[in-house]
Amino acid sequence: MPHLLDPVQLCAAELVTYVISHVGAKTPTWVTMSLDGPYIRIEVRDPDPRRFPAQGPRLIEAVVDRWGVVSHDYGKTTWCELATGLPAKERPPTNPRLAGIEALLTLYGRVAASSGAGSPLSRVASEEAATELIADLLHWLRAHGADPDTALDRAQTRYEAVLAQFA
């Protein structure tokens, strides 16, 4: 869904900027995206349950179909949803790992993730985006004192365990 790339990036940036501006620049923040039928949902969670947007950020309200804030014992989640243009009957992949990684690859590689469909060029571009993402994650692990080879071994073991469940 390349048509959603700019609005999704704008919304995620605005929600994170809200946390930085109103809660604090060093506030731990979690960003999650999910695809659920006709909507893509962006959630930004922070640990401050007291500071709520008094009204919707104008830029967000101009772009999204709906938004809101959910309070938790551990903080709050500010979320927004954008229509994907998919009919409700066309569901995304049922495996949440696949749906999540396809959204990530779309944003990371600026290509339409393929789900095994689409043109060969789209699949090649998605594979290249996945390879770049893996390489960047390995660099990140090393920069944070972790052993990339150990992480790859653990990831391979988990991957094979999931495959075995469906074999």
Side-chain angles (χ1 to χ4, degrees), residues 10 23 52 55 73 81 94 107 124:
L10 172 73
V23 182
F52 285 92
Q55 59 183 346
D73 291 338
E81 293 181 337
T94 56
L107 291 174
V124 169

Side-chain angles (χ1 to χ4, degrees), residues 108 119 156:
Y108 195 83
S119 72
Q156 183 71 29

Side-chain angles (χ1 to χ4, degrees), residues 3-29:
H3 67 285
L4 290 177
L5 183 60
D6 289 336
V8 165
Q9 287 178 335
L10 172 73
C11 290
E14 284 297 308
L15 292 176
V16 170
T17 299
Y18 180 85
V19 172
I20 292 169
S21 300
H22 295 88
V23 182
K26 297 191 186 256
T27 302
T29 306

Side-chain angles (χ1 to χ4, degrees), residues 48-81:
D48 187 346
R50 299 174 311 238
R51 298 182 194 232
F52 285 92
Q55 59 183 346
R58 293 180 200 264
L59 209 46
I60 297 274
E61 286 185 334
V63 175
V64 304
D65 293 283
R66 51 191 177 199
W67 77 277
V69 181
V70 179
S71 181
H72 310 283
D73 291 338
Y74 52 82
K76 70 178 170 300
T77 301
T78 306
W79 60 270
C80 64
E81 293 181 337

